[in-house]
Amino acid sequence: MTEAANILPANDENLSAAATRLKSGGLVAFPTETVYGLGADARDDRAVARIFEAKNRPSFNPLIVHVLDLPSAAQYGEMDARAQQLAAAFWPGPLSFVVPRRADSGLSLLVSAGLDTVALRAPAHPLARNLLTCFGGPIAAPSANTAGEVSPTLASHVAQSLGTNVDLILDGGACAVGLESTVIDLCGDRPALLRHGAVTLEQLQDVLGVVDDATRPADGQAPRSPGQIARHYAPSIPVRLNASDAVAGEVLLGFGSGVPEGVQNLSPSGDLTEAAANLFAALRALDSPEHRAIAVMPIPETGLGRAINDRLRRAAEAHNG
Ligand code: TXA
Ligand code: MG
């Protein structure tokens, strides 16, 4: 890290500067009661792609979308009776719900890593709430650290980990909880705990009755991380990688210059951030029974290209036995 990160004390002026940054597609780190989050406008594919780039994540995991309250959560996800009961008991607070994504949510597809579900949380930290109010929209935010590092609980941790990869860090002192939020999956008939946190399994069971513990491996199985539990989005037709062109019945997904006119192109200029932002929408657009397969042109295995290729390989493998 050569340049110093931009840490600002959390006053009204800096909050409004942070909201302005978010509105223009920037990245803002902010404190929540659990850990510091690396925030971007959850409706902006390009801004969300920048989160993955800044964290240097080798894969696209779905991110938590931060909202003020239950009514705003209900704009983006289907908040059924169970979600409403849990929100009444624990929101605002360190609990995230994975729920079906509303078709009219307007959220970035990248925020859900292409899935039909979304994780929503209303944080309790006053600074996070002020930022949500100032910004006036949903904020996607994973923990504000480089992939593989522990989550930051001080503004200085964020600065050390992300440096100038983040446009601005709002300093709100130490995070009270210091552990990531509890994640509960409400998409199935039986609620399932995906990640332990300050809201405990017992507390959730007190409200809902039965809650499965999906954080524990089934007998004889290796532990699963929440990222693995999330079913990965894959097109319903096969995907062929490193294609130079489409053969009979295939549809081509291009990258870079030199892609024929009229072909869907992840990024004509070869920009990996733009390609990541377009990836899931492009796959969905081409995922039609009228095509035999999607032939994808080579994507460089550098920076965000690694996460793009990871997802494309999974999509390709989904049809290889
Ligand atoms: O405390 C927290 O939750 C912090 C603060 C900043 O809010 N955020 C955080 O986000 O820890 P992140 O991206 O590091 O973790 C999100 C977790 C991941 O384990 C992810 O797999 C899971 O939530 N998750 C998010 N969306 C999901 C989805 N649609 N389906 C299944 N799991 C999901
Ligand atoms: Mg994390």
Side-chain angles (χ1 to χ4, degrees):
M1 197 176 88
T2 47
E3 283 172 88
N6 189 13
I7 302 186
L8 299 177
N11 55 34
D12 286 350
E13 191 187 335
N14 292 335
L15 263 167
S16 126
T20 303
R21 282 291 188 150
L22 290 175
K23 284 176 194 162
S24 59
L27 299 185
V28 170
F30 62 98
T32 80
E33 70 277 22
T34 59
V35 300
Y36 275 75
L38 178 61
D41 183 342
R43 300 159 299 194
D44 180 342
D45 278 316
R46 190 78 190 237
V48 174
R50 288 195 60 208
I51 291 182
F52 290 100
E53 189 175 34
K55 284 181 67 86
N56 199 18
R57 268 196 183 176
S59 61
F60 295 124
N61 295 334
L63 306 178
I64 294 173
V65 174
H66 296 72
V67 295
L68 265 181
D69 49 26
L70 182 64
S72 34
Q75 281 181 259
Y76 309 111
E78 276 157 32
M79 302 297 281
D80 66 8
R82 300 172 302 180
Q84 290 173 29
Q85 280 174 281
L86 288 177
F90 302 111
W91 272 13
L95 178 63
S96 301
F97 305 137
V98 175
V99 296
R101 216 180 126 99
R102 281 181 56 150
D104 62 353
S105 71
L107 294 176
S108 153
L109 266 180
L110 193 55
V111 116
S112 298
L115 298 170
D116 294 321
T117 57
V118 62
L120 294 163
R121 165 156 110 91
H125 197 294
L127 201 51
R129 301 187 64 75
N130 285 343
L131 182 63
L132 282 163
T133 305
C134 258
F135 174 57
I139 301 178
S143 52
N145 53 280
T146 302
E149 291 183 1
V150 294
S151 294
T153 56
L154 286 175
S156 61
H157 296 162
V158 181
Q160 280 156 21
S161 184
L162 295 174
T164 51
N165 285 347
V166 50
D167 295 314
L168 187 160
I169 303 169
L170 285 175
D171 190 350
C175 300
V177 175
L179 269 185
E180 296 89 342
S181 62
T182 305
V183 180
I184 184 169
D185 183 350
L186 297 174
C187 296
D189 290 340
R190 290 167 70 100
L193 181 69
L194 298 184
R195 182 170 76 183
H196 289 289
V199 175
T200 65
L201 181 60
E202 289 73 22
Q203 285 177 299
L204 296 169
Q205 286 168 336
D206 282 346
V207 174
L208 293 186
V210 181
V211 177
D212 292 339
D213 184 355
T215 67
R216 294 215 328 232
D219 284 347
Q221 303 244 294
R224 296 186 298 174
S225 75
Q228 290 170 308
I229 286 166
R231 198 178 53 78
H232 288 294
Y233 167 74
S236 60
I237 59 175
V239 172
R240 185 167 66 85
L241 304 182
N242 296 316
S244 45
D245 50 24
V247 300
E250 287 184 339
V251 62
L252 190 63
L253 178 55
F255 175 81
S257 56
V259 175
E261 195 73 24
V263 166
Q264 183 112 17
N265 193 337
L266 289 172
S267 171
S269 64
D271 176 314
L272 290 167
T273 311
E274 182 182 32
N278 290 333
L279 178 66
F280 291 110
L283 287 174
R284 281 176 186 253
L286 300 181
D287 184 7
S288 151
E290 75 184 82
H291 308 301
R292 195 171 58 72
I294 302 172
V296 188
M297 289 175 64
I299 315 280
E301 186 75 12
T302 56
L304 265 183
R306 288 180 300 135
I308 296 172
N309 284 323
D310 168 77
R311 187 44 43 103
L312 287 171
R313 276 191 293 268
R314 288 172 197 270
E317 280 160 17
H319 290 271
N320 286 347

